[in-house]
Amino acid sequence: MIKDKGRSILTESGLKITPQRIAIMEALLTIKDHSTAEFIKEYVTKNNPNLATGTIYNILEAFCQKGIIKKVKTEKDIMRYDVETKSHNHLYCDECDYIKNYFDEELDRLLKDYFSKKNLSNFSIKEINLQIVGNYSPHKNN
Amino acid sequence: MIKDKGRSILTESGLKITPQRIAIMEALLTIKDHSTAEFIKEYVTKNNPNLATGTIYNILEAFCQKGIIKKVKTEKDIMRYDVETKSHNHLYCDECDYIKNYFDEELDRLLKDYFSKKNLSNFSIKEINLQIVGNYSPHKNN
DNA sequence: TCCTAAATAAGAACTATTCTTATATAAGAA
DNA sequence: TTCTTATATAAGAATAGTTCTTATTTAGGA
Ligand SMILES: [Mn+2]
Ligand SMILES: [Mn+2]
Ligand SMILES: [Zn+2]
Ligand SMILES: [Zn+2]
């Protein structure tokens, strides 16, 4: 059950287990996609009508700190949150706000090898984000 | 002279030549780095104290439309503007807000070849942004 | 059960950016 | 050159996603 999965992720993280955190964890795991705080709020307030907006941001920030989720920048000024933990990059559609996951180990290896070979002076790489911007034909909301 | 260069870029673009646009063009070419609207405002209001904030955003947007400059996303919610037209990627320092240009034709070719080989279904690539996040030792402001 | 550091609710505050509207002006036409 | 008008600008209000403040609640250890 998805609620149990969320709860165990919380336990492993060492965060206090609260109804609000369980609800948001459940929302993230159910929605899967790159949710906005606003969308998560709509989802969780069905069952938790008093869950405050600030609490949602606090909790999402706490999850990020623990590495449970990651922030994803968008073209607009809206933060999105990614619950996918496997290494991947993103296809950004420039006609709508849809962001599709792009998994490819070959690409990951290619970049990793490239930069270990290059050895940038005075810069230690922690993360490489590849944004593939273009047009994704079968939109989500068609 | 840098003002003449700015003026000729404006002429080529087909935009009306106004003192405000010349001033911002000059600021962009002088500052070079990935300026914020705020920083550009500080720069231009030395000589043009009445230049309105909204005008700066309007003009920067117009320059983007014409392809004179490009928007660069940052970790914070502040837009930055890039006057560098040669193809390049960015090194993001996660300790400060410094963004360094990274030019490498080999990398560009590598990615171009990779994606033309892959041929993503239902997605036409317009642009690939590689964000290299890490720690850049000799900070600008040390 | 009790205690307390941590979490939450509610809503005000913040801030980069956008919008509105009256005024000014660049640049083509006459 | 002067006239014309579509376009650009100044000033400041409005917006919106996010953060902050503070009183209250609560999870989880003692
Ligand atoms: Mn993702
Ligand atoms: Mn750049
Ligand atoms: Zn789309
Ligand atoms: Zn730095």
Side-chain angles (χ1 to χ4, degrees), chain A residues 63-116:
Chain A
F63 288 1
C64 286
Q65 300 289 352
K66 293 293 181 182
I68 297 170
I69 60 175
K70 291 186 90 177
K71 291 180 181 177
V72 180
K73 291 267 163 214
T74 65
E75 279 311 294
K76 295 172 189 161
D77 288 332
I78 305 173
M79 187 62 68
R80 288 175 171 271
Y81 298 89
D82 197 341
V83 76
E84 177 59 59
T85 50
K86 283 202 293 280
S87 171
H88 67 287
N89 292 293
H90 290 121
L91 300 173
Y92 290 75
C93 181
D94 64 354
E95 283 195 2
C96 64
D97 54 359
Y98 184 52
I99 302 172
K100 191 170 164 62
N101 285 336
Y102 179 70
F103 297 95
D104 193 315
E105 286 181 27
E106 191 186 342
L107 176 59
D108 295 341
R109 207 176 319 111
L110 197 79
L111 289 170
K112 193 160 167 286
D113 292 350
Y114 180 82
F115 283 105
S116 66

Side-chain angles (χ1 to χ4, degrees), chain B residues 17-121:
Chain B
I17 292 167
T18 67
Q20 293 86 346
R21 283 175 176 166
I22 291 168
I24 290 177
M25 203 63 242
E26 186 188 1
L28 286 164
L29 292 170
T30 306
I31 302 167
K32 268 192 189 158
D33 252 332
H34 308 91
S35 316
T36 60
E38 177 63 24
F39 196 77
I40 290 166
K41 182 179 163 66
E42 277 173 31
Y43 188 96
V44 297
T45 46
K46 284 175 197 158
N47 296 316
N48 310 58
N50 294 329
L51 215 162
T53 305
T55 300
I56 292 174
Y57 283 100
N58 280 344
I59 290 176
L60 290 170
E61 185 59 37
F63 288 0
C64 287
Q65 300 289 351
K66 293 293 181 182
I68 297 170
I69 60 176
K70 291 187 91 177
K71 291 180 180 176
V72 180
K73 290 267 162 214
T74 66
E75 280 310 294
K76 295 172 189 162
D77 286 333
I78 305 174
M79 188 61 71
R80 288 176 171 270
Y81 298 89
D82 197 341
V83 74
E84 177 59 62
T85 50
K86 283 201 294 279
S87 172
H88 68 286
N89 291 293
H90 290 120
L91 301 173
Y92 289 76
C93 180
D94 65 355
E95 284 195 1
C96 64
D97 54 359
Y98 184 53
I99 303 171
K100 191 169 165 59
N101 285 336
Y102 180 71
F103 297 94
D104 194 313
E105 286 182 28
E106 192 186 342
L107 176 58
D108 294 341
R109 206 176 320 112
L110 198 78
L111 290 171
K112 194 161 167 285
D113 291 351
Y114 180 81
F115 283 106
S116 66
K117 187 186 72 185
K118 278 289 169 180
N119 193 28
L120 308 189
S121 59

Side-chain angles (χ1 to χ4, degrees), chain B residues 120-136:
Chain B
L120 308 189
S121 59
N122 299 321
F123 194 89
S124 61
I125 298 174
K126 290 182 184 167
E127 192 181 323
I128 292 173
N129 301 320
L130 188 71
Q131 297 186 339
I132 309 157
V133 184
N135 190 264
Y136 184 66

